[in-house]
Amino acid sequence: MADIDSQGLFWLYQVPNLALAALMYTLLGRFVLSLFFPPDSEKVIWKTFCQITWPAIAAVKLVTPIVVHERVVVLLAFTWVLFLRMIIFVVFAAMGLLPKLTGVGPA
């Protein structure tokens, strides 16, 4: 098998992983902010978090009953993104495309 880094496959795994990690922690940040700000707050930080996370929350709302509170939907979106990251990891590991650590462990 060819070197993964020489083929650029390192970024094939890392870019989606890092993007999903950023979304996941932004969702977590939105949940924490929702404990301090009302849903109709005009604070810039709240509006920014809402705009960034809205696509993920809208996707989760498609499969979530309408009676579920908005804060719970944010946590569900966090969970779905976490599962998606795990699936990406398992798929890349099964294909042998995960980046390998070099120079670690006994020689």
Side-chain angles (χ1 to χ4, degrees):
M1 181 170 174
D3 184 25
I4 290 175
D5 291 337
S6 68
Q7 294 179 355
L9 296 176
F10 175 79
W11 293 109
L12 188 64
Y13 169 73
Q14 290 297 343
V15 169
N17 184 43
L18 292 174
L20 289 173
L23 176 61
M24 189 174 76
Y25 292 118
T26 306
L27 285 163
L28 193 59
R30 178 177 172 163
F31 173 74
V32 171
L33 286 175
S34 73
L35 300 174
F36 300 105
F37 295 121
D40 58 349
S41 176
E42 292 298 317
K43 302 288 185 190
V44 173
I45 187 72
W46 174 251
K47 291 178 90 171
T48 303
F49 270 77
C50 288
Q51 289 174 353
I52 291 171
T53 58
W54 178 247
I57 291 173
V60 171
K61 279 187 173 184
L62 291 173
V63 295
T64 307
I66 199 159
V67 296
V68 177
H69 193 275
E70 181 79 18
R71 286 183 186 154
V72 177
V73 173
V74 172
L75 290 177
L76 288 172
F78 173 84
T79 306
W80 278 102
V81 173
L82 177 65
F83 287 153
L84 187 57
R85 284 185 71 199
M86 286 185 210
I87 289 169
I88 288 174
F89 176 81
V90 169
V91 167
F92 273 79
M95 293 172 34
L97 297 177
L98 282 181
K100 301 204 180 357
L101 294 176
T102 57
V104 178

